[in-house]
Amino acid sequence: MQQRIVIINCSESVIQIKGKCTAISVEQGNKLGVIVNDVIVSTFELLNSTKTQIQLNSTCPTMTVDNSEGVQIFLGFGVDEKFELLTCKSNEINIYKQKALGEDYSNEIPVPEQFKSYFDESGNLKTVAVRHTGA
């Protein structure tokens, strides 16, 4: 559990991680798949990566995605209950959730990448995700 895993400059590979760890950091991944079977105590960081798939089969309280594109996050059954995603300078991020143990992952859930900021009646700045609605 005292282990921190760092994966740097890895491409066109699938990495499977077994065993509990403190944190995982992936930097400069390209066409990379990472499967995590056990608990991550702290965070999963994805930095400067493209076309990356992450599958979390157990608890991961926080995932950060920074300066990355084409990220697909697969959350095993129940993982979404204690999961937060923080994004910065990233696009094309989709989350897939498993509805029940052993079932396929549900439809994709896109993570907003466009935001609108405005001042409310009290003069406070508010920021919300842009909603794309059809006519």
Side-chain angles (χ1 to χ4, degrees), residues 65-106:
V65 178
D66 191 358
N67 197 28
S68 298
E69 63 181 49
V71 179
Q72 295 181 343
I73 304 165
F74 295 86
L75 301 178
F77 178 68
V79 175
D80 62 317
E81 294 173 7
K82 295 180 181 178
F83 177 81
E84 289 185 348
L85 176 65
L86 306 171
T87 62
C88 177
K89 292 174 51 178
S90 299
N91 59 30
E92 299 176 41
I93 300 174
N94 293 305
I95 297 175
Y96 302 82
K97 288 189 337 179
Q98 195 175 34
K99 290 184 179 181
L101 211 52
E103 283 190 16
D104 288 337
Y105 291 87
S106 67

Side-chain angles (χ1 to χ4, degrees), residues 51-66:
K51 298 180 182 173
T52 306
Q53 293 184 353
I54 309 299
Q55 181 175 336
L56 302 172
N57 293 326
S58 191
T59 303
C60 176
T62 306
M63 180 173 183
T64 61
V65 178
D66 191 358

